[in-house]
Each structure stands twice: as C-alpha cells, then as structure tokens.
Amino acid sequence: MNKKEDEFMKILVTGGAGFIGSHTCVELLNSEYDVVVVDNLSNSSEVSLDRVKEITGKDLKFYKADLLDCDTLDKIFLKEHIETVIHFAGLKSVNESVDKPLEYYNNNITGTINLCACMKKYGVKNIIFSSSATVYGEPAVLPITEQCPKGTPTNPYGMTKWMIEEILKDIQLSDNSWNVIILRYFNPIGAHESGLIGEDPKGIPNNLLPYITQVAIGKRDYLNIYGNDYDTPDGTCIRDYIHVVDLARGHVMAINKLKENCGFKIYNLGTGKGYSVMEVLHTFEKVCGRKLPYKIAGRRKGDVMASYADASLAKKELGWEAIYDLEKMCQDAWNWQKKNPSGYQ
Ligand code: NAD
Ligand code: UFG
C-alpha cells in the first residue's frame, strides 16, 4: 500500500523524548511510520531523539512544545495532518506527586484534555494512552486481568492515570468513531540493545532498576530495600518487570488494533511473571559480575505487596507478548548505564 494512503501512518508521539517514548519511536520508525514528537523536555533530552535517528537511520520531526500551550499545539495539528496519537507525555514521579498535586493534576489531566480537544478539532480520533498497573491499587486478584476492578491509587500521580482513563472512556462513549486504547504498563525496565537510549532519571532515582544501576556504577553507596517482611517467599515485594523494547512493540501492535476500528479497549502489558526485589538484585549481580551492597529499610508508603499481569488478552487481541526475560532486561540496563554513566549529559 502507498504509505500516504494509510490513514494511520502519521503518528504524533507526545512525550516521545522520554524513556518509553524514545524506544517506541524506534519501533515506529522501523515499522515505516512517520513520527512527529511533541515534548517539552521537562524530564528528557533531545539527545535521545538524535540517538533514535542513529539507531534507525531514519528521520523524525520534533517540536519542543508543552501540552499546556494550546496555541502551539493547534499550530502543530494544523501543519502536520496527524492521524494517530500515542500519548506518553506526563509527569511520573509518585513521591513528587504527593508534594506537588496541583502540578501533577494540571500537567497530566489538563495536558490530556488540551490534546483531546485539539484532536477533536482536527478530526483525529485514534489514541493510545500510557496508563499504569497503579490504577488497580491493591489488586483484588493475582495475576491481574483487565476485568479486575480499578482500585484506589495511593497518590496523585496514580489518580491522574485513573481519571484520564475515565475521561478517554467518556470521549469514546460520546462519539463512537473514536478509537481509544488504554495500555496499562506493569514495570518497564531495560534499554535498547545498542546502549544508545535508556532510562535517564533526574536526581535520585525512585525506581528499583535505575537505583540498582547507579549503585553498580558507583554513584550510590547501597540499595535500600523497602521492606522484607511482606507475605512473599523472601519477604520483598513482587512486580512484573517488562523490557521497554517489548513494551514499545506493544504500541505498534496496538496501532494495528486501532485500524480495526476497535472502539474502547484496555490491555495489560506485562510478562505475567512476578519477581521479588531480591530476585531482581541477584539477577543484576549475575549480569554485572559482582555483589552489590544493600540495606533493608522500612516499607515504602503506598507500595503494594505483589503486582503481576495476566497479559493473555493482549496476546489474543493484539498478537503481542513479551519475549525478553529478566536477565536480558538487566543486561541491557547495565549496558546503557556503562555506556552513559551520566545519562544523556
Ligand atoms: P518520561 O518522563 O521519561 O517521559 C515522559 C515525557 O513527557 C518526558 O520526555 C517529558 O519531558 C514529557 N512531558 C511531560 N509533561 C509534558 C507536557 N506537559 N508537555 C509535553 N511534554 C511533556 O517517562 P516514561 O517512563 O517514558 O513514561 C511515559 C509514560 O508512561 C508516562 O505517561 C508515564 O506516566 C507512563 N508510565 C510509566 C511507567 C514507568 O515505570 N516508567 C509505568 C507506567 C506508566
Ligand atoms: N524498591 C526498593 N528500593 C528502591 C526502589 C524500589 O526496594 O530504591 C522496591 C519498591 O519498594 C517496590 C519495587 O522495588 O517493591 C518496585 O518499585 P518501583 O518504584 O521500581 O516500581 P513501582 O512498582 O513502585 O512503581 C512503578 C512505576 C509507577 C507505576 C507503578 C505501577 O514507577 O509509575 O509501577 O505498578 F505507577
């Protein structure tokens, strides 16, 4: 098919310079999509996009713009003839959201409303949204299926995901020519195999894997393990870690689903396997070839004991499943960290 005849070919990627966005740009370009990135670089660097071009040998268009700036957004839609939106842009620190709820609600929710209003104005009705397993709260069942009722997120960040899902559902209900896919990510880690793009947290990392890689590279003295008195085999919390490249591929498969005029859909993206904090640490130690110092700290407020996906719906309906295991995730994260000890700086 002539590329331009396919009405889904031009993809606007909001937050495309970020961790998951940059890996998704690689997969989109490799699948011959035209990519337009909008990112305000509040938590990322344009260098990631140069690296995306280096990996793929392909070009993309970048606008340094904020979703809160409606005029600029309007101009981008007017100029670019967008067909489909993948919406990653948002603030994502759980801790920070507790201290800055207004900033989080404004950035994530107002940003999404501005985006959807612009989409409506320009007749763009296909969107994939980055949600999170956090919407399940303390899960009612394990493994977690999409049928599992939404719980109560314990922080404003999680609440923004919870609410944006409802907003998108109502938009699609009001006009069934919209196609909305909500992807609920479990715990994305790892990096592109090339070591050219990866996770580049600002300041002290909140998340487990970037913290471990910084201990391994000597930036942090030791890992704090938040609680070893949970009702799990080794007492530490269990999560479903998923390679960021698998996650990125999931977005390309979701675009194929949009092409079927799928209406409103929700999919878990996880591997279906849960690993404890201790197991992740030991797997990373195996990969980097030495023991890493850690201390047992108290439980972290808001942590759920165990969270892992039933990802069979994504397999059945998107034809997607994760292929990389925990060791590969750790290898790629370590490769990225060694090659870029100070991230993109
Ligand atoms: P990230 O911070 O690396 O990427 C988000 C990007 O959005 C950044 O580049 C940032 O500069 C940009 N951005 C933020 N606010 C913006 C605004 N108002 N206008 C324009 N750009 C803006 O985060 P990530 O890990 O790549 O996450 C991507 C999405 O996936 C986020 O919505 C996040 O909440 C969601 N998510 C992430 C995880 C995770 O563990 N990484 C888990 C579940 C869901
Ligand atoms: N952990 C530590 N030490 C650390 C960091 C984390 O022991 O320094 C533990 C946590 O207590 C938890 C596990 O490692 O048991 C994973 O913690 P992360 O912060 O890496 O991930 P979370 O599961 O808490 O949160 C992630 C994303 C959120 C998302 C959530 C959905 O960061 O954006 O998954 O489940 F909402």
Side-chain angles (χ1 to χ4, degrees):
M1 183 187 319
N2 177 331
K3 200 168 158 181
K4 295 295 164 203
E5 280 170 18
D6 185 335
E7 58 165 329
F8 292 87
M9 287 316 282
K10 200 175 221 183
I11 316 285
L12 173 67
V13 183
T14 76
F19 172 45
I20 305 169
S22 56
H23 288 81
T24 302
C25 287
V26 168
E27 300 304 317
L28 289 170
L29 291 169
N30 283 342
S31 301
E32 307 303 331
Y33 286 100
D34 285 336
V35 174
V36 178
V37 169
V38 169
D39 198 303
N40 64 4
L41 303 182
S42 60
N43 195 40
S44 54
S45 159
E46 197 179 336
V47 176
S48 68
L49 297 175
D50 296 335
R51 304 272 180 90
V52 166
K53 293 178 204 166
E54 194 180 332
I55 291 168
T56 60
K58 292 183 174 141
D59 207 2
L60 55 74
K61 213 156 194 187
F62 172 57
Y63 291 93
K64 183 174 185 295
D66 197 311
L67 295 186
L68 299 179
D69 175 356
C70 293
D71 290 343
T72 303
L73 205 53
D74 192 287
K75 288 190 185 109
I76 295 169
F77 270 82
L78 181 65
K79 181 146 187 264
E80 293 296 342
H81 305 286
I82 300 300
E83 284 111 9
T84 296
V85 175
I86 305 182
H87 179 31
F88 294 105
L91 297 172
K92 66 160 184 179
S93 161
V94 168
N95 286 343
E96 191 182 55
S97 78
V98 174
D99 294 333
K100 300 178 177 171
L102 268 179
E103 201 174 316
Y104 270 67
Y105 285 117
N106 189 39
N107 189 77
N108 293 4
I109 295 185
T110 312
T112 302
I113 291 174
N114 291 345
L115 175 68
C116 290
C118 226
M119 289 174 68
K120 186 175 173 192
K121 178 171 170 188
Y122 288 93
V124 182
K125 295 181 175 182
N126 298 303
I127 184 168
I128 296 169
F129 172 62
S130 300
S131 190
S132 162
T134 197
V135 300
Y136 294 112
E138 187 73 55
V141 287
L142 282 170
I144 305 173
T145 68
E146 294 81 356
Q147 305 302 321
C148 179
K150 280 165 79 172
T152 310
T154 50
N155 55 77
Y157 162 73
M159 284 307 300
T160 67
K161 295 292 172 196
W162 198 103
M163 290 179 193
I164 292 168
E165 286 195 356
E166 299 300 313
I167 292 168
L168 292 173
K169 186 159 71 183
D170 285 339
I171 293 173
Q172 201 281 332
L173 256 179
S174 74
D175 175 354
N176 66 11
S177 63
W178 279 68
N179 297 304
V180 173
I181 295 185
I182 307 285
L183 296 178
R184 291 179 178 157
Y185 311 153
F186 280 69
N187 287 58
I189 60 169
H192 192 266
E193 199 166 27
S194 61
L196 285 169
I197 54 173
E199 190 166 11
D200 180 20
K202 293 203 177 7
I204 303 171
N206 291 314
N207 300 118
L208 181 61
L209 235 290
Y211 205 102
I212 292 179
T213 60
Q214 291 198 4
V215 173
I217 203 91
K219 260 193 181 175
R220 314 268 160 214
D221 293 337
Y222 56 87
L223 172 71
N224 280 303
I225 293 186
Y226 297 132
N228 66 348
D229 57 351
Y230 287 94
D231 186 15
T232 61
D234 65 22
T236 63
C237 290
I238 291 173
R239 294 288 182 276
D240 183 340
Y241 297 92
I242 174 165
H243 198 296
V244 63
V245 173
D246 274 334
L247 196 67
R249 284 192 308 104
H251 293 75
V252 178
M253 307 301 268
I255 296 174
N256 294 337
K257 188 74 188 171
L258 290 174
K259 292 176 188 173
E260 297 171 10
N261 283 325
C262 63
F264 183 82
K265 293 279 183 183
I266 299 176
Y267 299 104
N268 286 338
L269 294 187
T271 65
K273 292 192 196 75
Y275 289 97
S276 73
V277 175
M278 231 17 145
E279 287 174 310
V280 174
L281 178 65
H282 291 329
T283 305
F284 196 90
E285 287 175 334
K286 187 175 159 199
V287 161
C288 78
R290 66 189 177 88
K291 288 275 170 212
L292 297 176
Y294 70 87
K295 289 187 183 171
I296 303 296
R299 291 183 176 195
R300 186 170 72 174
K301 198 168 166 278
D303 270 345
V304 302
M305 179 172 74
S307 163
Y308 49 94
D310 178 332
S312 54
L313 190 67
K315 185 175 180 184
K316 184 169 160 231
E317 295 195 4
L318 302 181
W320 172 90
E321 71 183 318
I323 54 179
Y324 297 121
D325 64 12
L326 183 62
E327 194 167 320
K328 171 74 172 156
M329 299 179 214
C330 290
Q331 267 164 5
D332 288 339
W334 182 223
N335 182 40
W336 152 255
Q337 180 73 78
K338 279 188 297 183
K339 285 191 172 157
N340 305 270
S342 305
Y344 288 113
Q345 278 171 5

